[in-house]
């Protein structure tokens, strides 16, 4: 760093050497403390000769991260000095040690104004440079006239710095943009490239700051930009601007960016620049990085303006060449632009489909993922089969880390574009065979629904799955689907029922079918879901294959002492069915009813939508549902009025109801229409009898609230309702005589004992010591979760209700990251307090509590009602349940 002639530079070098020689941070701090102390002493003594050197040392100390605020005034003294060396070190210190938020900066405005009017162009340059780096809005307003004047200077360097300084001024004070519009256009006529690139940057900033400036520049700037781009493209070799054989690529890129802003949404401007863009796109060499940068910016401009179709095809062909480049960065940016270009000209992008597919197999993970997303966008009804075949073939050799994304895209393509169920089933069977461990639960749930509805393909499906299971038994999702199909359609497998024309018959005995299920039961010992499905399949095979009943009973009995309560109970109950209830077994174990495919797909789409409803539930905090309860406490304010919940004739609906009418006034409060997706309450379908409910067939819900064939679980008492029959699960089979028929079950079985409508709370139970305590209610109950509301009223405040919610886990796995949300109509205000925790212990051995208060501004006119949603994780897997609460006691 150059210092003034009469100061010694050795002291700065000595300090740097001393700091670099330090072996520990403590030694460095000691050296810095000594130097800072010496500088303070020099400042106090007002040593003029050492001011340069001290400021240079302070800047070095500042760059090391140590505080140097005590030297700020020294910067102002150096700036106020008369000589250029002092001003240079002063302005450098000003830009390093201060920023626009410092109050000290106000003192330098007068010095800046004097230096902007100085006769020495170098001092003027120092002032412009400092102003362009640290000026505040007040300084911009005060010094804008001087900067405007300097933009008319004859000196190219001064004009360049003045233009760059005006960029900062326009950013700080957009109202001043109109003062610089004419000057910016006039600077575009200059020959000096430094002035041109500064002027282009100023025009770009003006377009962002003001719509009026954008319109003005469209009328007066396009011709000059085209001329600049043509001149720089056709110019001969100039050493000062040449980069790898390309003349001033930086000016190229700046001009192209400005042209993109001016041509966007303006057909006349776009038409005027089409020719020059085509010239740049065809003449620029692509074998150098500078040329590729210009081509990239040219393509961005073509795709951003109202270009002709031929020009867009030219741009997409350039991107196709980029995909063949060996540089990963170039290929990645090409894929990014193609993803945007497909919405503009899909046919042109389709021509490069083969190259894009090759990028899916690239060694770079980022390119693979981006190419896969692009392939997904390329799929349509005409090319779905060849593209899917390519992706499935690559699935065999794909990296394990990439298989999850690849399988998700293949499954989504097969579901979205399948025109025939046989092709869909074939593709899904291949995916399950090659990457079944990477398939998400909702995918194989949907596959089972399709198989259930395709009666003509059920035999083909069970045979294909059985064959695949012999070769790929380690794939978990394949095993689950295969076991389910063998349990449902085992006789089709053994008897080769429903053979297709091109299908070769296979020989499978009843023992072979049982062996396949037994293999899954023994292989997947840690997976409770898979083992549970295997037990259900074995139970059903005992009815399909009576000769194998004894062997099946022995296999099932092996889990009677299982440590997992779920498997132990299934084993005991299923063993009892096989041994004691042969007369009703065939009726009990009939095939599952055909699942409504259309309804399932609607529910699945609603439950898996990624966007949150437009209104904000009271418990939502930044970060979404993953935040624990109580992280942030929202202010008390009424919710956004998105739904008018004030209809007086809206029916009062129980919180335990499994379905609601489409006109229910709480139906769409959480953004999910149609049937309520929560598992709260007993099944209301007349076709679902209590014995089918024992095996949870046709009524269980998956973790996202949808019917799941995998969750054929033991019964759990639902939230009781008046007039409902709630039998004891263990007494259900014992109450049947040997001659009882399955069809008469519902009419002959009565509740063995009285039902406590308050779910176990005695009438004397009191939540708090206040006298105005209302009866507790079961607000929500499903097979997995129970929520109880303890209600009390504040004396003298009839509108306000204080609720204490208790969340109880009914499963054998802990719930983590538990979040409770509630939404209320517009006339109700809701305040949620922090929860007691975010982990709900398993098996009801503990609970999480959370208090909240509601204020009904129309108390006595409209009842209290709310919609609730609970999200949590089970073994790392996200779950979501929701329901509505409208069964509050009278007067609440």
């Amino acid at each position: 760093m150059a210092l003034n002639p009469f100061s010694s530079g050795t002291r700065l070098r000595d300090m740097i050497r001393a700091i670099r020689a330090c072996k520990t941070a403590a030694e460095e701090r000691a050296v810095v403390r000594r130097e800072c102390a010496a500088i303070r002493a020099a400042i106090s003594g007002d040593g003029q000769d050492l001011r340069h050197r001290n400021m240079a040392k302070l800047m070095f100390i500042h760059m090391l991260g140590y505080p140097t605020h005590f030297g700020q005034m020294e910067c102002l003294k150096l700036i106020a000095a008369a000589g250029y060396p002092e001003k240079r070190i002063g302005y450098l210190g000003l830009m390093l040690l201060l920023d626009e938020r410092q109050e000290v900066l106000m003192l330098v405005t007068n010095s800046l104004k004097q230096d902007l009017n100085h006769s020495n162009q170098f001092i003027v340059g120092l002032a412009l440079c400092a102003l362009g780096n640290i000026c505040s809005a007040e300084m911009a307003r005060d010094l804008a006239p001087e900067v405007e004047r300097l933009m008319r200077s004859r000196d190219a360097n001064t004009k360049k710095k003045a233009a760059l300084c005006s960029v900062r001024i326009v950013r700080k004070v957009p109202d001043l943009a109109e003062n610089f519009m004419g000057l910016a256009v006039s600077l575009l006529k200059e020959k000096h490239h430094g002035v041109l690139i500064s002027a282009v940057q100023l025009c770009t900033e003006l377009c962002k700051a003001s719509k009026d400036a954008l319109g003005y520049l469209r009328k007066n700037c396009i011709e000059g930009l085209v001329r600049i781009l043509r001149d720089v493209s056709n110019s001969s070799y100039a050493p000062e601007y040449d980069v790898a054989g390309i003349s001033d690529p930086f000016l190229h890129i700046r001009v192209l960016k400005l042209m993109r802003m001016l041509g966007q949404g303006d057909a006349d401007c776009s038409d005027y620049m089409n020719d020059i863009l085509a010239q740049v796109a065809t003449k620029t060499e692509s074998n150098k990085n500078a040329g590729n940068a210009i081509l990239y910016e040219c393509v961005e401009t073509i795709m951003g303006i109202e270009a002709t179709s031929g020009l867009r095809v030219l741009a997409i062909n350039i991107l196709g060449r980029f995909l063949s480049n060996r540089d990963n960065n170039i290929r990645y940016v090409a894929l990014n632009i193609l993803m945007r270009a497909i919405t503009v000209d899909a046919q042109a992008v389709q021509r490069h489909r083969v190259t894009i597919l090759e990028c899916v197999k690239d060694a770079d993970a980022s390119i693979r993922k981006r190419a896969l997303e692009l392939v997904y966008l390329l799929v349509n009804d005409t090319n779905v089969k060849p593209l899917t075949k390519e992706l499935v073939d690559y699935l065999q050799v794909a990296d394990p880390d990439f298989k999850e994304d690849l399988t998700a895209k293949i499954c989504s393509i097969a579901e979205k574009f399948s025109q025939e169920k046989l092709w869909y089933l074939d593709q899904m069977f291949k995916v399950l065979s090659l990457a079944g461990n990477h398939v998400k639960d909702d995918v194989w749930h949907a596959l089972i629904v399709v198989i259930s509805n395709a009666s003509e393909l059920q035999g083909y499906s069970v045979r294909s799955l059985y064959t695949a299971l012999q070769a790929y038994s380690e794939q978990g999702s394949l095993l689950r689907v295969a076991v389910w199909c063998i349990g449902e359609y085992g006789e089709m497998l053994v008897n080769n029922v429903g053979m297709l024309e091109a299908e070769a018959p296979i020989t499978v005995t009843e023992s072979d079918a049982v062996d396949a299920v037994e293999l899954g039961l023994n292989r997947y010992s840690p997976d409770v879901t898979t083992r549970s499905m295997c037990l259900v399949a074995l139970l059903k095979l005992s009815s399909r294959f009576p000769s194998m009943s004894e062997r099946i009973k022995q296999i099932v009995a092996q889990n009677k002492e299982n440590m997992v309560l779920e498997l132990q109970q299934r084993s005991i109950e299923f063993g009892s069915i096989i041994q004691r209830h042969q007369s009703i077994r065939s009726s009990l174990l009939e095939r599952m009813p055909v699942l409504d495919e259309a309804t399932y797909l609607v529910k699945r789409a609603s439950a898996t939508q990624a966007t949150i409803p437009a209104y904000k539930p009271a418990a939502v905090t930044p970060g979404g549902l993953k935040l624990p309860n109580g992280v942030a406490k929202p202010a008390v304010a009424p919710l956004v009025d998105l739904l008018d919940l004030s209809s007086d004739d809206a029916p009062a609906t129980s919180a335990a109801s499994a379905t609601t009418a489409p006109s229910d006034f709480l139906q769409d409060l959480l953004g999910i229409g149609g049937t309520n997706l929560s598992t709260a309450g007993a099944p209301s379908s007349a076709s679902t009898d209590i014995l089918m409910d024992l095996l949870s067939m046709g009524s269980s819900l998956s973790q996202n609230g949808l019917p799941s064939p995998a969750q054929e679980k033991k019964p759990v008492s639902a939230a009781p309702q008046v007039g409902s029959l709630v039998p004891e699960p263990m007494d259900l089979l014992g109450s049947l005589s040997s001659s009882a028929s399955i069809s008469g079950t519902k009419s002959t079985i009565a509740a063995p004992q009285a039902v406590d409508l308050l779910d176990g709370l005695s009438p004397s139970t009191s939540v708090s010591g206040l006298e105005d305590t209302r009866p507790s209610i079961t607000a929500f109950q499903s097979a997995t979760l129970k929520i109880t509301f303890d209600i009390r009223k504040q004396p003298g405040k009839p509108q306000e209700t204080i609720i204490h919610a208790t969340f109880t886990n009914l499963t054998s796995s802990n719930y983590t990251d538990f979040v409770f949300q509630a939404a209320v109509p517009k006339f109700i205000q809701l305040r949620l307090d922090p929860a007691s925790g975010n982990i709900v212990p398993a098996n009801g051995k503990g609970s999480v509590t959370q208090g909240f208060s509601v204020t009904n501004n129309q108390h006595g006119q409209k009842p209290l009602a709310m919609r609730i949603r609970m999200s949590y994780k089970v073994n790392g897997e996200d779950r979501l349940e929701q329901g509505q609460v409208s069964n509050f006691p009278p007067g609440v």
Side-chain angles (χ1 to χ4, degrees):
M1 182 178 296
L3 301 175
N4 64 329
F6 54 85
S7 67
S8 172
T10 57
R11 290 297 304 276
L12 174 64
R13 291 196 294 269
D14 291 342
M15 185 189 74
I16 295 175
R17 288 195 189 100
I19 290 175
R20 289 180 176 176
C22 294
K23 297 182 179 180
T24 63
E27 292 181 14
E28 179 182 300
R29 288 193 295 270
V31 172
V32 171
R33 278 198 299 268
R34 287 196 302 269
E35 292 293 341
C36 288
I39 293 173
R40 284 194 183 95
I43 292 174
S44 301
D46 196 22
Q48 298 288 335
D49 295 340
L50 301 177
R51 189 169 285 162
H52 283 81
R53 188 167 57 199
N54 290 339
M55 183 55 57
K57 288 156 62 177
L58 273 179
M59 285 188 283
F60 185 81
I61 292 172
H62 173 78
M63 288 188 287
L64 293 178
Y66 295 95
T68 55
H69 55 277
F70 57 87
Q72 292 175 351
M73 292 303 298
E74 290 296 292
C75 295
L76 304 186
K77 293 177 182 178
L78 286 170
I79 291 172
Y84 172 76
E86 291 85 355
K87 287 184 178 292
R88 181 175 60 176
I89 197 73
Y91 277 120
L92 182 59
L94 181 74
M95 290 183 284
L96 282 177
L97 305 184
L98 282 82
D99 58 42
E100 61 178 283
R101 294 168 295 181
Q102 301 284 344
E103 295 182 0
V104 179
L105 198 62
M106 298 174 59
L107 303 176
V108 82
T109 303
N110 191 48
S111 297
L112 280 170
K113 189 169 187 177
Q114 292 177 1
D115 289 343
L116 289 174
N117 292 292
H118 203 280
S119 58
N120 188 331
Q121 63 172 342
F122 299 107
I123 293 179
V124 173
L126 289 176
L128 287 171
C129 186
L131 187 63
N133 276 278
I134 63 167
C135 85
S136 60
E138 292 77 9
M139 293 175 66
R141 290 189 180 93
D142 293 339
L143 300 177
E146 277 70 24
V147 176
E148 292 179 41
R149 179 182 57 80
L150 291 173
M151 289 179 68
R152 300 184 180 92
S153 171
R154 294 183 179 181
D155 181 66
N157 285 326
T158 302
K159 285 193 286 189
K160 176 183 69 174
K161 292 184 178 183
L164 290 176
C165 183
S166 61
V167 171
R168 172 88 177 194
I169 293 174
V170 171
R171 285 178 183 170
K172 290 296 175 184
V173 189
D175 294 341
L176 295 176
E178 60 182 12
N179 298 347
F180 295 95
M181 293 189 300
L183 293 171
V185 173
S186 64
L187 289 181
L188 294 177
K189 301 175 183 178
E190 296 286 334
K191 298 297 183 182
H192 191 278
H193 283 208
V195 177
L196 287 177
I197 200 169
S198 301
V200 170
Q201 183 64 16
L202 175 58
C203 291
T204 303
E205 200 63 39
L206 289 171
C207 292
K208 296 178 183 178
S210 168
K211 290 184 178 180
D212 294 338
L214 178 61
Y216 178 85
L217 293 176
R218 279 175 173 166
K219 294 179 181 178
N220 300 281
C221 185
I222 289 294
E223 185 177 351
L225 292 177
V226 172
R227 177 186 55 79
I228 292 171
L229 199 55
R230 183 179 292 111
D231 291 346
V232 75
S233 298
N234 299 329
S235 63
S236 57
Y237 174 75
E240 63 270 28
Y241 303 127
D242 183 82
V243 177
I246 305 288
S247 178
D248 204 345
F250 303 101
L251 182 58
H252 267 100
I253 291 170
R254 288 291 184 185
V255 171
L256 288 170
K257 284 184 177 180
L258 179 57
M259 293 175 76
R260 179 163 73 249
M261 295 183 68
L262 298 176
Q264 188 172 10
D266 191 303
D268 294 336
C269 289
S270 301
D271 185 63
Y272 194 85
M273 61 181 73
N274 277 338
D275 292 341
I276 188 61
L277 291 176
Q279 178 181 338
V280 172
T282 53
K283 291 186 63 176
T284 305
E285 299 179 4
S286 60
N287 56 350
K288 297 292 178 61
N289 202 40
N292 286 327
I294 295 174
L295 287 174
Y296 169 80
E297 214 50 63
C298 185
V299 170
E300 285 272 31
T301 302
I302 292 172
M303 302 309 296
I305 67 173
E306 307 298 320
T308 61
S309 59
L311 195 58
R312 286 176 177 162
V313 171
L314 175 62
I316 292 173
N317 290 339
I318 292 174
L319 296 177
R321 295 204 307 269
F322 279 2
L323 293 179
S324 302
N325 198 296
R326 290 179 296 178
D327 191 326
N328 288 344
N329 293 324
I330 293 176
R331 282 187 291 168
Y332 186 82
V333 297
L335 290 170
N336 270 338
I337 305 179
L338 285 172
M339 289 185 67
R340 301 197 301 270
I342 198 170
T343 60
V344 178
D345 194 342
Q347 193 60 38
V349 180
Q350 288 281 0
R351 298 191 185 100
H352 303 280
R353 192 173 64 207
V354 176
T355 310
I356 296 170
L357 274 172
E358 289 300 316
C359 290
V360 176
K361 307 171 185 178
D362 195 86
D364 188 276
S366 300
I367 292 178
R368 284 202 307 263
K369 290 184 178 181
R370 188 63 68 192
L372 181 60
E373 293 173 2
L374 180 55
V375 169
Y376 181 77
L377 296 176
L378 287 174
V379 176
N380 54 40
D381 292 332
T382 59
N383 62 18
V384 59
K385 291 187 177 180
L387 279 179
T388 305
K389 182 180 182 302
E390 291 283 349
L391 294 178
V392 171
D393 291 343
Y394 177 61
L395 190 58
Q396 302 181 36
V397 295
D399 293 339
D401 295 338
F402 187 53
K403 280 190 176 181
E404 184 173 352
D405 293 333
L406 188 56
T407 53
K409 292 298 183 185
I410 295 173
C411 294
S412 180
I413 290 171
E415 291 177 9
K416 185 176 180 181
F417 296 98
S418 62
Q419 300 175 354
E420 50 188 25
K421 288 187 176 181
L422 180 59
W423 179 83
Y424 168 76
L425 292 175
D426 285 338
Q427 304 311 309
M428 295 304 298
F429 294 160
K430 290 178 183 177
V431 172
L432 291 177
S433 301
L434 297 173
N437 292 328
H438 301 277
V439 173
K440 296 182 179 179
D441 287 348
D442 62 328
V443 173
W444 63 267
H445 293 173
L447 176 59
I448 288 179
V449 173
V450 173
I451 295 174
S452 172
N453 283 268
S455 57
E456 71 283 359
L457 296 175
Q458 288 169 352
Y460 170 77
S461 298
V462 69
R463 285 188 293 274
S464 300
L465 288 166
Y466 176 83
T467 303
L469 189 60
Q470 304 306 306
Y472 304 99
S473 59
E474 73 280 358
Q475 302 295 341
S477 296
L478 172 66
L479 178 63
R480 296 187 191 103
V481 179
V483 163
W484 185 89
C485 287
I486 292 173
E488 294 294 323
Y489 317 115
E491 70 280 6
M492 291 186 173
L493 173 64
V494 173
N495 300 323
N496 282 325
V497 177
M499 293 287 296
L500 301 182
E501 294 181 1
E503 185 182 1
I506 60 174
T507 302
V508 181
T509 64
E510 295 179 353
S511 179
D512 294 336
V514 175
D515 288 342
V517 180
E518 184 182 11
L519 176 65
L521 183 63
N522 296 330
R523 178 185 291 271
Y524 285 84
S525 54
D527 191 344
V528 177
T529 301
T530 303
R531 299 192 71 187
S532 300
M533 294 183 69
C534 290
L535 289 174
V536 175
L538 287 170
L539 176 63
K540 293 194 172 186
L541 288 181
S542 69
S543 175
R544 312 284 191 270
F545 309 145
S547 61
M548 303 300 296
S549 295
E550 190 62 30
R551 180 188 171 193
I552 291 174
K553 184 176 73 171
Q554 294 175 2
I555 298 173
V556 171
Q558 295 174 3
N559 289 277
K560 284 186 176 181
E561 298 179 356
N562 197 295
M563 295 296 292
V564 180
L565 184 60
E566 171 78 15
L567 300 177
Q568 184 186 119
Q569 182 171 344
R570 283 179 185 265
S571 178
I572 295 172
E573 292 176 351
F574 295 173
S576 176
I577 293 173
I578 297 172
Q579 183 174 358
R580 298 170 52 192
H581 302 285
Q582 291 87 352
S583 58
I584 65 168
R585 187 172 60 189
S586 59
S587 299
L588 175 64
L589 301 177
E590 288 180 353
R591 290 180 187 169
M592 283 187 66
V594 175
L595 302 172
D596 188 347
E597 187 174 1
T599 303
Y600 175 83
L601 293 177
V602 171
K603 290 180 180 180
R604 180 186 177 196
S606 299
T608 56
Q609 59 184 354
T611 56
I612 301 292
Y615 83 102
K616 301 296 182 184
V620 170
T621 55
L625 301 180
K626 296 184 180 297
L627 285 179
N629 285 345
V631 170
K633 186 175 180 180
V636 179
L639 293 177
V640 179
D641 178 17
L642 292 182
L643 289 175
D644 187 4
L645 306 185
S646 59
S647 176
D648 293 333
D649 58 350
T653 308
S654 169
S657 173
T659 59
T660 56
S663 60
D664 190 340
F665 65 84
L666 287 174
Q667 184 64 44
D668 295 324
L669 191 55
L670 284 180
I672 298 179
T675 304
N676 187 1
L677 301 182
S678 72
T679 59
S684 60
S685 173
S687 62
T688 307
D689 61 40
I690 51 179
L691 286 179
M692 298 295 271
D693 184 60
L694 177 62
L695 299 178
S696 298
M697 290 183 286
S699 63
S700 64
L701 299 181
S702 67
Q703 65 271 19
N704 57 1
L706 304 179
S708 166
Q711 295 181 339
E712 299 178 351
K713 300 178 68 174
K714 62 184 181 182
V716 179
S717 297
Q721 305 179 47
V722 176
S724 65
L725 299 179
V726 187
E728 293 274 349
M730 298 303 294
D731 293 336
L732 191 58
L733 291 174
S735 65
L736 293 174
S737 64
S738 59
S739 60
S741 65
I742 190 68
S743 60
T745 303
K746 285 186 287 187
S747 61
T748 59
I749 297 178
Q753 63 181 27
V755 177
D756 183 3
L757 293 180
L758 295 181
D759 198 25
L761 287 177
S762 63
S764 62
T765 301
S766 177
V767 177
S768 66
L770 296 177
E771 293 182 358
D772 196 4
T773 301
R774 304 303 173 93
S776 300
I777 64 170
T778 299
F780 178 91
Q781 182 162 339
S782 67
T784 57
L785 182 65
K786 177 181 177 182
I787 303 176
T788 304
F789 282 177
D790 297 324
I791 302 170
R792 58 188 175 91
K793 302 285 288 185
Q794 288 282 11
K797 297 180 180 179
Q799 294 182 337
E800 184 173 349
T801 303
I802 299 176
I803 299 175
H804 186 268
T806 303
F807 309 95
T808 306
N809 181 356
L810 304 178
T811 67
S812 58
S813 301
N814 290 339
Y815 294 167
T816 59
D817 294 345
F818 186 89
V819 176
F820 170 74
Q821 296 176 288
V824 293
K826 63 178 182 180
F827 57 86
I828 296 176
Q829 292 182 349
L830 172 66
R831 180 203 296 271
L832 278 173
D833 295 330
S836 61
N838 63 349
I839 299 177
V840 187
N843 298 321
K845 295 181 179 179
S847 60
V848 170
T849 60
Q850 185 168 3
F852 59 97
S853 62
V854 290
T855 302
N856 187 351
N857 295 322
Q858 299 187 22
H859 179 71
Q861 302 177 16
K862 296 182 181 180
L864 184 62
M866 66 176 61
R867 189 82 170 172
I868 59 175
R869 177 161 61 183
M870 293 67 64
S871 64
Y872 52 89
K873 288 185 178 181
V874 180
N875 299 325
E877 184 178 2
D878 291 326
R879 303 289 179 89
L880 180 68
E881 293 189 84
Q882 54 196 5
Q884 60 192 41
V885 186
S886 56
N887 60 335
F888 290 97
V892 173

